[in-house]
Amino acid sequence: EPEVTQTPSHQVTQMGQEVILRCVPISNHLYFYWYRQILGQKVEFLVSFYNNEISEKSEIFDDQFSVERPDGSNFTLKIRSTKLEDSAMYFCASSGRLADNYNEQFFGPGTRLTVL
Amino acid sequence: RKEVEQDPGPFNVPEGATVAFNCTYSNSASQSFFWYRQDCRKEPKLLMSVYSSGNEDGRFTAQLNRASQYISLLIRDSKLSDSATYLCVVRTASGGSYIPTFGRGTSLIVHP
């Protein structure tokens, strides 16, 4: 069964450093998403991406964040200068159908980011 | 502020019990509704979508009440493997996309 994969599973970084989180969405999917979940808190939407551009982003997704689909398979989230409060689990998701209100999003296993 | 509210629990029930969770949402323009399951330190996985007419999938039944802005999930004949956190998710149209808002989840513990 096709699945979304994410690397690394755990990333430890120093405050102020740049990190890139990587995702490989399901191969025939068209819509890609990033979410984060701070430990013990709810899952929060960060950004959606379609046709090589951002379609929506939340208030959390400020200038420190960027996304890219550098090739036909990878989808990356970059945090330019990490802060302590960026420590969280970051989930990538993808969906296959054109945007409709009941399209299923498939989540990857997540990358746990720890900022020291 | 647009929120999705859930009772965090935990709901601690014996095997075979029936348990129900509710979720309320504040944005009356919300268009689609879901229940996800999340195991500890794992990714959310879709349990079921929730349609206006209500829907059932085996031991799970979901209901939507748009007038009162709440969604429910009923689990019958609970299994040990049902132990997890159940996330209520509400999507609202924004431009050409549907932005999901997650509840904090309701924890279920099924014991022998």
Side-chain angles (χ1 to χ4, degrees):
Chain A
E1 184 176 333
E3 57 185 17
V4 177
T5 59
Q6 290 185 243
T7 54
S9 57
H10 191 188
Q11 174 87 48
V12 181
T13 190
Q14 295 289 327
M15 191 169 56
Q17 294 297 306
E18 174 184 286
V19 295
I20 297 176
L21 310 183
R22 301 180 192 281
C23 168
V24 179
I26 294 172
S27 63
N28 60 347
H29 280 188
L30 301 173
Y31 287 83
F32 314 112
Y33 312 84
W34 283 101
Y35 296 85
R36 79 170 186 191
Q37 186 175 30
I38 295 170
L39 187 63
Q41 298 190 25
K42 63 181 180 180
V43 176
E44 298 173 290
F45 168 78
L46 293 178
V47 66
S48 61
F49 190 87
Y50 170 69
N51 199 25
N52 283 320
E53 61 183 24
I54 291 173
S55 46
E56 291 295 335
K57 60 182 180 179
S58 70
E59 293 172 352
I60 302 168
F61 194 88
D62 61 21
D63 292 344
Q64 290 297 313
F65 292 88
S66 62
V67 290
E68 195 177 33
R69 188 157 163 81
D71 53 42
S73 59
N74 289 284
F75 179 51
T76 62
L77 174 69
K78 181 192 291 187
I79 309 175
R80 286 190 184 81
S81 178
T82 50
K83 302 187 282 288
L84 294 176
E85 54 265 36
D86 292 327
S87 295
M89 182 74 95
Y90 288 81
F91 293 109
C92 173
S94 68
S95 62
R97 301 208 307 258
L98 291 176
D100 71 70
N101 57 350
Y102 276 103
N103 64 334
E104 181 177 353
Q105 296 182 17
F106 295 82
F107 283 74
T111 292
R112 180 166 300 282
L113 176 65
T114 302
V115 183
L116 303 176
Chain B
R1 186 170 179 178
K2 310 297 188 288
E3 292 289 348
V4 175
E5 300 290 339
Q6 295 183 251
D7 180 346
F11 285 63
N12 203 322
V13 303
E15 269 185 296
T18 295
V19 61
F21 308 137
N22 287 330
C23 165
T24 58
Y25 60 96
S26 59
N27 187 347
S28 60
S30 297
Q31 295 178 293
S32 50
F33 311 91
F34 307 83
W35 284 102
Y36 276 74
R37 172 195 169 122
Q38 186 175 30
D39 293 288
C40 187
R41 295 180 179 265
K42 299 284 190 180
E43 73 272 24
K45 292 187 178 179
L46 180 66
L47 180 64
M48 58 197 304
S49 304
V50 188
Y51 302 111
S52 296
S53 55
N55 45 301
E56 186 174 310
D57 183 1
R59 299 182 292 109
F60 300 86
T61 300
Q63 297 281 348
L64 168 63
N65 185 320
R66 284 188 183 270
S68 301
Q69 294 182 203
Y70 79 80
I71 308 134
S72 65
L73 176 68
L74 182 77
I75 305 175
R76 290 181 297 277
D77 188 22
S78 299
K79 311 291 184 193
L80 295 176
S81 56
D82 293 334
S83 298
T85 297
Y86 291 82
L87 310 178
C88 175
V89 181
V90 173
R91 284 195 213 164
T92 307
S94 177
S97 299
Y98 294 88
I99 304 304
T101 302
F102 284 72
R104 291 191 65 171
T106 297
S107 175
L108 172 65
I109 301 169
V110 182
H111 59 82

